């Protein structure tokens, strides 16, 4: 197993990540593991997981390296295992961690080892609260109250690295309000702002639980859509287009301003950079607008 290709990915993860072969010899150890445990890569590589390194115990103090070890269980059964344990820091004290062990298979579908991801639970709540504060104060668009471009960039990088690491995929949709300049010029910027809010609220109200929506700039919005294939992305895109088409703004004189959007989107494909994904989405959005607007182009 060669994990050198992921060495630029693992260091950016908050979580500790290490990899063992079938005999539980450690062959990869990321910077997150070093931060949480105090053990440097040079101290653990080619040593066995059970060589009195992390020495996991459960809530009752039972040692798990030779009985109840999530990593060993995963290698034996091929099942992903999760648990809450206490690992031993290099300085001797115990740290509560949540652990997920994932089997690794070769081309013949034989288990050749496992990867363990562990998170320091002491900081999870603090990190969550800090992230919420940053999102509210620094990463929301003040007009539409959805994520701004800075927060979107952060989330896209995280999801992109996750997709590369775990062989997942996702889609990106870029939305543009049709003839928005005409709306501003005809009805004024205050009503233009209301149209922006209508689009933002319609999109976010129908967003998937793990999806991310942001204001991209001006009258453009962008979304990360957690789907498995392009047909699902087309379905989501068309759903949004129809929902926006069914939305409108009612003026004081009861006259109606209709709203329409053009959409461009694409999937993350192996080998893509973030720039590739955004560039294709933008190209396909332009194609939708060039071909008459109020449509989506997903490729």
């Amino acid at each position: 197993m060669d994990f050198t290709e992921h060495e630029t990915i693992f260091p950016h993860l908050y979580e500790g990540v290490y990899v063992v072969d079938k005999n539980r010899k450690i062959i990869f150890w990321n910077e997150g593991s070093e931060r949480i445990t105090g053990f440097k890569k040079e101290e653990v590589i080619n040593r066995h997981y059970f060589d009195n390194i992390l020495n996991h115990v459960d809530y009752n103090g039972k040692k798990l390296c030779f009985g109840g070890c999530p990593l060993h269980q995963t290698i034996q059964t091929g099942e992903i295992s999760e648990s809450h344990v206490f690992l031993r820091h290099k300085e001797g004290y115990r740290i509560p961690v949540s652990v997920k062990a994932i089997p690794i298979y070769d081309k013949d579908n034989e288990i050749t080892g496992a990867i363990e991801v562990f998170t320091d639970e002491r900081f999870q709540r603090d990190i969550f609260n800090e992230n919420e504060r940053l999102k509210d104060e620094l990463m929301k668009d003040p007009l539409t109250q959805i994520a701004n471009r800075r927060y979107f960039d952060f989330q896209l990088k995280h999801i992109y690295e996750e997709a590369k690491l775990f062989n997942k995929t996702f889609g990106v949709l870029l939305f543009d309000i049709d003839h928005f300049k005409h709306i501003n010029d005809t009805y004024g910027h205050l009503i233009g702002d209301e149209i922006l809010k209508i689009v933002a609220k319609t999109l976010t109200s129908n967003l998937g639980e793990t999806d991310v929506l942001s204001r991209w700039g001006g009258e453009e919005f962008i979304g990360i859509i957690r789907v498995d294939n392009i047909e699902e992305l087309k379905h989501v895109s068309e759903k949004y287009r129809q929902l926006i088409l069914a939305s409108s703004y009612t003026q004081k004189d009861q006259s109606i301003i209709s709203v329409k959007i053009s959409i461009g989107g694409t999937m993350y494909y192996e080998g893509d950079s973030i720039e590739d994904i955004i560039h294709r989405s933008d190209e396909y959005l332009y194609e939708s607008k060039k071909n008459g607007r109020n449509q989506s182009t997903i490729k």
Side-chain angles (χ1 to χ4, degrees):
M1 295 178 290
D2 183 8
F3 282 82
T4 55
E5 63 184 282
H6 299 305
E7 287 185 355
T8 59
I9 302 173
F10 284 115
H12 300 291
L13 298 178
Y14 168 77
E15 294 84 356
V17 179
Y18 66 95
V19 179
V20 300
D21 64 16
K22 194 170 184 178
N23 297 315
R24 288 191 285 170
K25 183 175 71 175
I26 298 171
I27 60 175
F28 189 90
W29 186 264
N30 82 328
E31 290 181 11
S33 299
E34 293 185 347
R35 287 192 299 270
I36 295 173
T37 70
F39 288 98
K40 296 295 184 183
K41 176 172 65 174
E42 295 77 14
E43 298 177 273
V44 298
I45 292 294
N46 292 325
R47 292 180 62 186
H48 288 87
Y49 168 77
F50 45 80
D51 285 345
N52 196 31
I53 301 173
L54 301 183
N55 200 6
H56 291 351
V57 298
D58 63 15
Y59 284 95
N60 298 315
K62 176 186 175 184
K63 294 184 178 182
L64 301 178
C65 287
F66 294 96
C69 169
L71 204 61
H72 184 249
Q73 178 184 340
T74 291
I75 292 174
Q76 292 295 312
T77 66
E79 297 177 355
I80 296 175
S81 59
E82 299 183 54
S83 59
H84 298 275
V85 301
F86 300 83
L87 63 79
R88 182 179 67 87
H89 190 274
K90 183 180 178 181
E91 296 179 3
Y93 58 88
R94 290 286 175 179
I95 299 173
V97 292
S98 55
V99 170
K100 176 179 282 189
I102 305 164
I104 298 171
Y105 295 88
D106 62 16
K107 62 181 180 180
D108 298 318
N109 207 32
E110 295 291 331
I111 295 175
T112 59
I115 180 171
E116 181 172 298
V117 181
F118 59 97
T119 305
D120 188 340
E121 293 181 343
R122 296 173 303 170
F123 304 115
Q124 284 181 316
R125 185 174 298 277
D126 289 343
I127 289 172
F128 174 80
N129 291 336
E130 179 68 8
N131 284 344
E132 288 298 300
R133 185 186 69 81
L134 288 172
K135 182 172 69 174
D136 289 342
E137 295 184 7
L138 302 174
M139 297 187 175
K140 272 190 177 180
D141 173 59
L143 175 64
T144 61
Q145 289 299 297
I146 65 172
N148 63 18
R149 188 162 180 167
R150 178 178 179 182
Y151 181 72
F152 179 85
D153 287 343
F154 169 79
Q155 289 292 335
L156 180 57
K157 287 176 184 176
H158 173 76
I159 292 170
Y160 173 77
E161 299 295 355
E162 181 187 76
K164 288 174 64 180
L165 178 59
F166 295 108
N167 195 29
K168 294 183 179 181
T169 191
F170 62 90
V172 168
L173 294 178
L174 192 56
F175 310 87
D176 184 270
I177 301 175
D178 290 338
H179 303 296
F180 187 71
K181 183 179 184 302
H182 173 74
I183 292 173
N184 275 334
D185 292 345
T186 304
Y187 304 104
H189 288 276
L190 290 179
I191 288 181
D193 287 350
E194 293 304 313
I195 298 296
L196 287 169
K197 293 176 186 177
I198 287 171
V199 172
K201 287 179 180 178
T202 300
L203 294 175
T204 54
S205 296
N206 296 279
L207 204 62
E209 186 176 349
T210 59
D211 296 343
V212 178
L213 181 76
S214 163
R215 188 174 179 189
W216 189 240
E219 68 272 26
E220 289 188 339
F221 299 85
I222 193 166
I224 303 170
I225 312 298
R226 299 276 199 157
V227 290
D228 294 326
N229 55 64
I230 197 157
E231 293 305 317
E232 291 181 13
L233 188 62
K234 289 178 180 179
H235 175 77
V236 172
S237 176
E238 184 61 16
K239 178 188 75 172
Y240 283 137
R241 190 187 68 81
Q242 293 287 355
L243 288 171
I244 296 298
L245 188 59
S247 304
S248 61
Y249 177 78
T250 303
Q251 299 189 84
K252 290 181 180 180
D253 63 2
Q254 300 305 304
S255 60
I256 303 296
I257 302 174
S258 61
V259 187
K260 300 176 183 178
I261 58 170
S262 298
I263 307 172
T266 190
M267 296 292 293
Y268 159 71
Y269 298 111
E270 185 177 358
D272 275 342
S273 67
I274 289 177
E275 291 74 19
D276 291 333
I277 304 167
I278 299 298
H279 179 69
R280 285 203 306 274
S281 298
D282 195 45
E283 277 191 336
Y284 301 149
L285 172 61
Y286 176 76
E287 190 172 323
S288 292
K289 293 161 69 175
K290 184 180 69 173
N291 291 334
R293 303 178 188 267
N294 186 32
Q295 58 186 276
S296 58
T297 304
I298 313 297
K299 298 181 183 179

